[in-house]
């Protein structure tokens, strides 16, 4: 059973914020809450929503601020949407009768876990439009939106997630909110097409025609889905930010219209999840045992190394020890820290899942409890701390501070000289107007730069390491060192990011141009024979013919009919060739390719093909007419010959 959510609704001049489960996305100025455009949208939407339920009881409202004033239709609305009986209404026409009825309705709303603040029956009876709209919004929230649940999210978030899941595959649809994401109408059309593809041809919709899209969706929803029209397309388009409450109310009707299919899908997923719980738990147990064993074994091998205090005799050897320790801190330990944290998380997660599933708690093998790992880790860190202190003491004794500072200065200067101008080079977009050959050349050049970049990795790490040592030794000008080191590291990270982005851009452009090149080649292979065929056909269709008998004419007519039978296949080939050309244009436009795309494999253009095809289609009936005329002449000649040979 779903736990009832207690909702507190505050109202300011008739409008409120849903604080517990309905958090507004944008903190709009309170003056905007009184925007006449929003009020108009809410008035129309809420009226239509109320009527969609009141018509089940054989009635409706016309003016929302007036028709609820006596409380009768308000109580009837609550009975219809809740399926419960409210106390018997007062039938008198005095003001106190109306207030009593409205109070009964408000008490019923409060009994459903909604705390009404700053709203009273008097405002509703007096026809206060702001308060009335706020009250209806509260009813919509409680009875149409609150119980929506999608993937552990509920209410507004659940409805938004449902919209995002359903519209994700559709082009030009990106539902991020309940206002501007719906202005072009495509989101409404996508919801309908997802569940009833027979009602809308989504491929024919145009993002630049919001009026047409919105009207189409609203009309289909009203005609085929029994969802009344709650908004006007003009109001949505002409408002910078459509009213969120109006859009949410309308969209919730779509959700409930398709709820049956959603519930069936959810039930199937739930069954599948239950069947997989036991297997998942078993895998988690095995994974915990494996990771715990590996981590404990690593600690067992590493601790003696950290406890070894055998000093080396030369500076080089001590530096080697220092580098080994830094590799441990930088490369070997961080993954183990993550493994330890993940083990604790996995253990707690597993226990929670087992408890929820009413299964016995998981008991790891002896020595592999979380507490055992924590104890071993504590010993490792104790040894590590002592080892670090010992290393630093030996380094201070063997190396002078000035030497470290000079070394830092030299490496930093060398690196900064090398890095100068690299950021600007990597930010170039020269590939946007390059040909395929030029892009490939740019890629090879970029690969050479990547090799150069990798070669400088050690220098950057050394700069950071020296700066750290100078900090530990309390170098007098450590602030300048840290500032310079930070600039170098920040630039290095930026160069790495720009290098990766440029490689991705170059590779993406290369693939697109390769695709276009293949399409050009295919166009050339298919257009040349088709062009030759059309030229031959035009020659044949315009060829003079001389016949002497009916049989000869009929033979030509038969050949012409056979030629006509090949035209559908030829037209299919023509369309396929034009489709190749359109695909090139589509790729170019979709991905913003600015290069001058010229087919290197063919000089034949689509305009030539279309012109020749049109000429062939014109010549066919002309040829057919000429043959029929000749046939008629031959028949006339034959009758004349018979009359001469056999008179009377």
């Amino acid at each position: 059973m779903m736990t009832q959510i207690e909702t507190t609704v505050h109202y300011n001049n008739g409008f409120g914020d849903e604080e517990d489960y309905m958090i507004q996305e944008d903190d709009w100025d309170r003056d905007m809450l009184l925007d006449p455009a929003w009020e108009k949208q809410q008035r129309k939407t809420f009226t239509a929503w109320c009527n969609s339920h009141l018509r089940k009881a054989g009635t409706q409202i016309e003016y929302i601020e007036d028709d609820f004033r006596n409380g009768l239709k308000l109580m009837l609305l609550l009975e219809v949407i809740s399926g419960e009986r409210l106390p018997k209404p007062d039938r008198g026409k005095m003001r106190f009768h109306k207030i009593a009825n409205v109070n009964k309705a408000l008490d019923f709303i409060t009994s459903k876990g909604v705390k009404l603040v700053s709203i009273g029956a008097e405002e509703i009876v007096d026809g206060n439009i702001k308060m009335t709209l706020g009250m209806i919004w509260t009813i919509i929230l409680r009875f149409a939106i609150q119980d929506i649940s999608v993937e552990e999210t509920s209410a507004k978030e659940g409805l938004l997630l449902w919209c995002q899941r359903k519209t994700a595959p559709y082009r030009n649809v990106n539902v991020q909110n309940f206002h501007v994401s719906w202005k072009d109408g495509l989101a409404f059309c996508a919801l309908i097409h997802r569940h009833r593809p027979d009602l809308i041809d989504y491929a024919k919709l145009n993002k630049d025609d919001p009026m047409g899209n919105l009207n189409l969706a609203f009309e289909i929803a009203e005609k085929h889905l029994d969802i009344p029209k709650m908004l006007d397309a003009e109001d949505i388009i002409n408002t910078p930010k459509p009213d969120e409450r109006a859009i949410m109310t309308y969209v919730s009707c779509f959700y409930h219209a398709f709820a049956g299919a959603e519930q069936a899908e959810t039930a199937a997923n739930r069954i599948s999840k239950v069947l997989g719980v036991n297997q998942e738990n078993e895998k988690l147990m095995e994974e915990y045992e494996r990771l715990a064993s590996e981590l404990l074994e690593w600690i067992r091998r590493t601790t003696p190394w950290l406890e070894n205090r055998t000093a080396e005799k030369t500076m080089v050897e001590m530096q080697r020890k220092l580098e080994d320790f830094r590799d441990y801190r930088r490369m070997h330990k961080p993954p183990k820290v993550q493994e330890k944290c993940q083990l604790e998380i996995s253990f707690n997660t597993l226990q929670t899942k087992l408890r929820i599933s009413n299964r016995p708690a998981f008991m790891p093998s002896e020595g592999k409890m979380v507490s055992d790992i924590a104890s071993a880790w504590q010993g490792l860190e104790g040894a590590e701390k002592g080892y670090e202190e010992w290393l630093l003491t030996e380094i201070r004794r063997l190396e002078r501070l000035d030497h470290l500072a000079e070394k830092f200065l030299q490496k930093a200067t060398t690196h900064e000289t090398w890095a100068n101008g690299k950021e600007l080079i990597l930010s170039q977009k020269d590939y946007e107007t390059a040909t395929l050959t030029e892009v490939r050349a740019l890629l090879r050049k970029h690969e050479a730069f990547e090799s150069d970049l990798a070669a400088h990795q050690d220098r950057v790490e050394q700069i950071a390491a020296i700066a750290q040592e100078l900090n530990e030794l309390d170098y007098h000008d450590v602030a300048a060192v840290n500032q310079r080191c930070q600039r170098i590291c920040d630039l290095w990270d930026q160069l790495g990011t720009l290098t990766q982005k440029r490689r991705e851009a170059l590779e993406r452009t290369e693939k697109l141009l390769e695709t276009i090149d293949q399409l050009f080649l295919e166009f050339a292979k298919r257009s040349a024979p088709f062009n030759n065929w059309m030229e031959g056909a035009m020659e044949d269709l315009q060829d003079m013919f001389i016949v002497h008998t009916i049989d000869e004419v009929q033979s030509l007519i038969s050949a012409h009919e056979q030629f006509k039978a090949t035209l559908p296949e030829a037209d299919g080939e023509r369309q396929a060739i034009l489709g190749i050309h359109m695909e090139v244009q589509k790729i170019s436009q979709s991905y913003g390719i600015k290069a001058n795309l010229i087919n290197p494999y063919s000089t034949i253009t689509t305009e030539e093909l279309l012109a020749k095809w049109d000429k062939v289609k014109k010549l066919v009936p002309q040829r057919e007419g000429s043959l029929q005329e000749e046939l008629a002449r031959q028949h006339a000649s034959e009758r004349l010959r018979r009359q001469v040979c056999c008179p009377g």
Side-chain angles (χ1 to χ4, degrees):
M1 179 180 294
M2 182 177 294
T3 303
Q4 186 177 23
I5 302 175
E6 183 174 85
T7 306
T8 302
V9 181
H10 297 275
Y11 291 92
N12 180 16
N13 293 325
F15 290 79
D17 299 320
E18 300 74 57
E19 293 181 345
D20 289 338
Y21 69 89
M22 193 62 66
I23 301 174
Q24 296 294 338
E25 292 175 328
D26 298 309
D27 223 355
W28 288 84
D29 188 357
R30 286 189 176 274
D31 291 338
M32 286 296 290
L33 297 175
L34 303 177
D35 188 328
W38 287 14
E39 179 181 314
K40 178 182 178 182
Q41 293 175 30
Q42 287 191 18
R43 188 193 297 262
K44 179 176 179 61
T45 302
F46 292 359
T47 299
W49 185 86
C50 292
N51 284 334
S52 70
H53 294 285
L54 287 173
R55 68 183 181 186
K56 300 174 185 177
T59 187
Q60 65 178 10
I61 62 171
E62 185 174 0
Y63 301 105
I64 195 168
E65 68 270 30
D66 294 329
D67 293 348
F68 286 138
R69 292 177 64 180
N70 61 10
L72 296 177
K73 289 188 178 180
L74 178 59
M75 295 179 68
L76 181 60
L77 173 65
L78 290 172
E79 287 185 346
V80 171
I81 63 179
S82 68
E84 301 178 23
R85 297 290 296 178
L86 271 69
K88 186 177 180 180
D90 293 357
R91 291 295 178 180
K93 297 183 179 180
M94 303 296 291
R95 176 179 173 82
F96 72 87
H97 291 125
K98 298 177 182 180
I99 292 176
N101 289 336
V102 174
N103 273 325
K104 291 176 183 179
L106 296 179
D107 290 341
F108 179 79
I109 296 173
T110 303
S111 72
K112 295 304 178 181
V114 180
K115 292 182 179 179
L116 300 174
V117 180
S118 302
I119 184 172
E122 291 79 6
E123 287 84 0
I124 306 302
V125 172
D126 292 337
N128 186 316
I129 182 61
K130 307 297 189 238
M131 285 294 185
T132 302
L133 292 176
M135 177 190 66
I136 297 302
W137 173 239
T138 301
I139 295 172
I140 293 171
L141 280 177
R142 176 57 185 85
F143 294 99
I145 297 177
Q146 173 178 310
D147 293 334
I148 293 175
S149 178
V150 179
E151 297 183 11
E152 300 182 356
T153 63
S154 60
K156 174 184 177 182
E157 289 78 13
L159 183 59
L160 182 62
L161 181 59
W162 179 78
C163 294
Q164 291 170 339
R165 292 285 185 271
K166 294 303 176 183
T167 62
Y170 291 85
R171 59 181 174 83
N172 296 325
V173 178
N174 183 19
V175 178
Q176 296 297 324
N177 49 57
F178 287 109
H179 36 82
V180 296
S181 294
W182 303 82
K183 286 194 67 173
D184 60 9
L186 291 180
F188 285 107
C189 292
L191 282 180
I192 296 174
H193 184 268
R194 181 64 182 268
H195 297 89
R196 290 291 304 275
D198 56 307
L199 298 179
I200 289 181
D201 188 352
Y202 189 86
K204 293 184 177 180
L205 299 181
N206 184 359
K207 181 178 178 62
D208 297 325
D209 183 22
M211 183 74 70
N213 298 336
L214 288 167
N215 283 326
L216 176 65
F218 296 167
E219 291 169 4
I220 289 178
E222 185 172 37
K223 182 178 180 180
H224 298 281
L225 303 178
D226 198 28
I227 299 175
K229 185 178 181 182
M230 298 185 179
L231 289 168
D232 290 325
E234 295 83 357
D235 293 339
I236 296 177
I237 294 172
N238 296 330
T239 305
K241 180 188 176 189
D243 179 65
E244 184 177 55
R245 295 176 178 182
I247 297 293
M248 282 181 61
T249 302
Y250 206 174
V251 173
S252 71
C253 293
F254 285 84
Y255 172 87
H256 291 294
F258 303 125
E262 294 295 323
Q263 292 172 357
E265 181 180 351
T266 302
N269 292 336
R270 189 174 298 143
I271 293 173
S272 176
K273 182 178 180 180
V274 170
L275 294 176
V277 164
N278 290 339
Q279 291 182 347
E280 182 180 352
N281 289 341
E282 290 294 332
K283 289 181 180 179
L284 288 174
M285 294 177 189
E286 295 174 0
E287 184 68 8
Y288 177 88
E289 290 281 344
R290 182 183 66 80
L291 292 177
S293 298
E294 292 177 357
L295 182 57
L296 288 169
E297 175 61 22
W298 179 82
I299 294 173
R300 185 190 65 79
R301 293 195 315 267
T302 306
T303 302
W305 174 67
L306 293 172
E307 292 174 341
N308 183 11
R309 298 295 187 271
T310 304
E312 303 295 342
K313 296 181 179 180
T314 66
M315 186 65 189
V316 173
E317 291 172 333
M318 285 304 300
Q319 285 287 1
R320 187 178 300 116
K321 276 185 173 290
L322 181 61
E323 288 300 321
D324 290 343
F325 181 70
R326 286 173 179 160
D327 286 343
Y328 159 80
R329 292 287 297 272
R330 184 176 60 247
M331 299 168 54
H332 303 296
K333 184 183 177 184
K336 300 304 177 182
V337 174
Q338 294 179 0
E339 289 180 17
K340 176 177 176 293
C341 294
Q342 187 59 46
L343 266 176
E344 296 172 355
I345 295 172
S346 298
F347 181 81
N348 294 331
T349 301
L350 178 58
Q351 298 293 38
T352 301
K353 288 186 175 181
L354 291 172
R355 184 168 61 255
I356 293 174
S357 303
N358 295 321
R359 298 288 303 277
F362 170 58
M363 183 63 65
S365 303
E366 184 178 357
K368 297 180 182 177
M369 292 288 292
V370 172
S371 58
D372 298 326
I373 295 173
S375 178
W377 189 267
Q378 186 176 3
L380 174 76
E381 291 195 325
E384 176 187 317
K385 182 178 180 182
Y387 188 69
E388 181 179 17
E389 293 173 352
W390 172 75
L391 275 177
L392 291 175
T393 300
E394 290 300 313
I395 291 298
R396 290 190 187 97
R397 186 173 57 84
L398 297 172
E399 188 177 46
R400 297 183 311 173
L401 283 173
D402 290 344
H403 173 68
L404 278 175
E406 181 62 26
K407 187 176 179 181
F408 174 84
L409 179 63
Q410 292 175 355
K411 289 185 175 293
T413 301
T414 301
H415 179 78
E416 288 168 345
T417 301
W418 171 84
N420 184 36
K422 296 294 191 297
E423 188 174 5
L424 181 60
I425 294 174
L426 291 172
S427 300
Q428 291 179 345
K429 294 185 178 181
D430 46 357
Y431 51 82
E432 290 185 346
T433 56
T435 64
L436 178 58
T437 302
E438 291 169 342
V439 169
R440 287 171 174 168
L442 289 174
L443 258 175
R444 289 191 292 272
K445 182 178 180 181
H446 188 70
E447 290 169 356
F449 174 77
E450 287 176 329
S451 299
D452 188 27
L453 185 71
H456 287 77
Q457 174 72 32
D458 286 342
R459 178 178 290 124
V460 175
E461 293 179 356
Q462 290 170 8
I463 291 172
I466 295 172
Q468 179 64 30
E469 288 190 62
L470 289 172
N471 277 270
E472 293 170 353
L473 295 173
D474 198 19
Y475 181 55
H476 68 90
D477 198 16
V478 72
V481 170
N482 289 340
Q483 186 177 11
R484 190 171 185 180
C485 180
Q486 188 62 49
R487 287 200 305 269
I488 291 173
C489 291
D490 290 344
L491 178 58
W492 180 257
D493 292 341
Q494 179 67 6
L495 289 179
T497 300
L498 290 174
T499 298
Q500 180 62 26
K501 288 183 178 179
R502 181 168 174 83
R503 166 167 280 279
E504 292 172 356
L506 287 170
E507 289 177 345
R508 180 173 61 252
T509 303
E510 181 187 29
K511 289 180 180 179
L512 291 173
L513 292 178
E514 285 176 347
T515 300
I516 291 175
D517 188 70
Q518 288 296 320
L519 291 172
F520 277 152
L521 181 59
E522 184 179 357
F523 180 90
K525 289 181 178 179
R526 298 179 69 168
S527 63
F530 184 70
N531 184 60
N532 292 336
W533 176 84
M534 287 194 295
E535 290 178 348
M538 287 189 291
E539 292 176 0
D540 292 342
L541 291 170
Q542 296 178 92
D543 188 22
M544 297 288 294
F545 57 86
I546 300 175
V547 295
H548 303 286
T549 66
I550 294 174
D551 290 340
E552 289 177 347
V553 175
Q554 289 178 337
S555 176
L556 290 175
I557 292 174
S558 176
H560 185 69
E561 291 298 324
Q562 291 176 1
F563 171 75
K564 285 170 60 178
T566 65
L567 289 178
E569 181 180 357
D571 187 47
E573 178 65 10
R574 177 188 66 86
Q575 294 179 10
I577 294 170
L578 294 178
I580 295 172
H581 176 76
M582 293 300 296
E583 182 67 18
V584 171
Q585 298 301 316
K586 180 180 178 182
I587 292 173
S588 176
Q589 294 172 2
S590 298
Y591 295 96
I593 297 176
K594 300 177 182 178
N596 186 18
L597 300 176
I598 300 176
N599 193 333
Y601 306 110
S602 175
T603 59
I604 300 173
T605 65
T606 55
E607 290 77 8
E608 293 178 32
L609 295 177
L610 289 172
K612 291 180 180 179
W613 177 255
D614 289 340
K615 187 170 183 180
V616 168
K617 289 196 296 183
K618 290 179 180 178
L619 290 173
V620 168
Q622 293 176 4
R623 177 75 169 186
E624 186 171 3
S626 299
L627 290 172
Q628 291 298 330
E629 290 176 0
E630 183 61 31
L631 180 62
R633 283 195 296 270
Q634 290 297 331
H635 276 296
S637 298
E638 181 64 23
R639 286 193 299 270
L640 182 61
R641 282 195 297 270
R642 288 179 179 176
Q643 291 174 359
V644 171
C645 294
C646 305

